[in-house]
Amino acid sequence: MIVRLALSIMLLASPALARQEPAPIAARDGQAFKHKHSGFSFPPTLIGLNRSQGLEVVAPQLDLFFHYRADDESEEISVYVYRMTSGSVPLWFDVSRSVVEARKETGSKAAWGPPAAFTPPGQANGSALQLGWTITGSRLRSTTLTLIPMGEWLVKIRHSSMAHEVASLQRRTAEAVAALGWPKRIAAAPDAAAIVACTDTLVLSGEAKPVKQSGAGTLVEALLAQMAGNPTDRKKAANPMKEAPLTWCADRMADSPVGLYRPQGTRDRYLLSLSDSGIAIRAEPSAASALLADTQQPAWSVTLLTAAKAYNFARRDRLPLPGQIDAILKENPLSSVSTWGDRQISLDSGAMK
């Protein structure tokens, strides 16, 4: 049985997150279930496998999934849809790949070549990635991972089999991808390729400490976080000239408890992946401090990104060590902003003094 990775232990102690228990999805037997935000639909059967109970991980349908299983449980497909509020397809594919390979209880996995890009239904270029593994030491024989962009959403497909060898399973995965209910219109996405390792190192200079906060700085940080997490606002703020997509690299050299990524060519910021469903920490030079000049020295912002909200913590006097993020998450955030729905901004009263 395939089980989705739970949130990082770091998140469990964070006062910023009230854990929402996954809720069963009421899908009618024999009918497709339509994702109300994207138009994507989960058919009642998929390449001969029956759909089982689905779960809504984050309401309202910001993170949900269904399983499809053979009657004899020899084959299973899990299809997830969740928001992508940061990063890129190569970044989140790398995170999910790490999760697949780390789960020793499902056997030892040998990748069948590098991740391969392909053109998914409704798109015109190779924006999606897939990888297959041969499995030993388990009842399973093979498994595949597929990640497909769909506007501001990601569609992730895990497919495992006790009977099919990996090449055969990849062909069946391709059939399953084609049989899913794709929207008629899907926003163009950049070409995808396996993420590369960073060739330089982060600039770290010891433990980061909070700088003096100001009410104006806290408010501006909140507004910027809301804009960064909302695709509509990002389009309004973008340069009219088409911008090149941001390219990320994986920092394999940093001492980090979880996957660490950063835009290629930068050494003063990073994104820490806290789950394989898009939750992350973003640490970067504070744009609010630069705009307002409210501190006499550079400052760094620390933001927790979830499917529906962004949480801003006290700005720091330098880029935090990745190992500090655990302690920072245990603090009360100075602000939280909705990046979906009501678009509310909540500010800590003490931060506005």
Side-chain angles (χ1 to χ4, degrees), residues 41-353:
S41 62
F42 300 83
T45 62
L46 189 61
I47 59 169
L49 309 184
N50 295 316
R51 186 182 66 201
S52 61
Q53 179 67 64
L55 288 177
E56 180 185 53
V57 182
V58 181
Q61 293 189 20
L62 303 183
D63 184 348
L64 71 161
F65 66 90
F66 282 89
H67 295 306
Y68 293 84
R69 296 189 179 96
D71 290 339
D72 61 1
E73 298 190 348
S74 63
E75 188 174 354
E76 180 177 74
I77 300 175
S78 299
V79 182
Y80 307 87
V81 176
Y82 54 97
R83 281 190 83 202
M84 181 172 68
T85 60
S86 65
S88 65
V89 168
L91 187 159
W92 290 112
F93 186 89
D94 191 68
V95 174
S96 294
R97 174 181 181 170
S98 298
V99 171
V100 171
E101 294 179 340
R103 293 195 66 232
K104 301 304 181 186
E105 65 270 25
T106 55
S108 298
K109 302 171 189 71
W112 205 59
F118 69 95
T119 302
Q123 301 189 45
N125 61 301
S127 62
L129 288 172
Q130 186 182 99
L131 181 62
W133 291 263
T134 295
I135 299 178
T136 56
S138 167
R139 295 177 65 197
L140 295 174
R141 186 177 180 186
S142 61
T143 190
T144 65
L145 168 68
T146 306
L147 193 64
I148 301 172
M150 186 175 61
E152 67 176 297
W153 305 93
L154 288 175
V155 178
K156 180 165 66 179
I157 301 163
R158 284 290 316 279
H159 190 178
S160 297
S161 172
M162 296 180 186
H164 292 276
E165 49 81 26
V166 65
S168 173
L169 187 67
Q170 285 186 314
R171 290 191 290 271
R172 282 186 60 76
T173 301
E175 294 173 7
V177 169
L180 290 166
W182 298 97
K184 291 182 179 180
R185 294 183 180 180
I186 301 175
D191 288 338
I195 202 164
V196 299
C198 301
T199 56
D200 51 13
T201 58
L202 278 172
V203 176
L204 298 170
S205 56
E207 186 171 329
K209 295 180 172 55
V211 300
K212 183 179 180 181
Q213 311 296 317
S214 71
T218 298
L219 179 58
V220 172
E221 288 276 7
L223 291 169
L224 291 173
Q226 187 177 68
M227 182 177 293
N230 187 282
T232 302
D233 284 350
R234 287 201 298 267
K235 291 175 183 177
K236 290 179 181 178
N239 189 303
M241 300 297 290
K242 186 176 180 180
E243 297 179 353
L246 189 63
T247 302
W248 295 81
C249 63
D251 194 326
R252 313 292 192 197
M253 294 179 284
D255 183 11
S256 175
V258 291
L260 187 149
Y261 304 86
R262 49 193 169 93
Q264 280 194 351
T266 66
R267 302 177 64 197
D268 61 353
R269 66 199 68 203
Y270 57 73
L271 188 81
L272 276 179
S273 59
L274 299 185
S275 83
D276 61 340
S277 58
I279 298 176
I281 283 283
R282 184 177 62 219
E284 61 187 355
S286 170
S289 294
L291 286 170
L292 299 173
D294 62 346
T295 64
Q296 295 182 351
Q297 59 184 3
W300 275 256
S301 62
V302 180
T303 306
L304 169 62
L305 306 168
T306 70
K309 286 188 175 184
Y311 299 87
N312 294 299
F313 295 85
R315 287 168 286 168
R316 261 56 189 182
D317 64 350
R318 66 199 69 192
L319 182 65
L321 300 171
Q324 282 189 262
I325 296 301
D326 188 6
I328 292 174
L329 282 174
K330 294 174 183 176
E331 300 174 3
N332 287 313
L334 300 186
S335 66
S336 65
V337 299
S338 299
T339 60
W340 181 270
D342 57 17
R343 299 167 60 84
Q344 290 183 349
I345 294 179
S346 300
L347 302 173
D348 182 274
S349 58
M352 299 303 295
K353 295 179 181 178

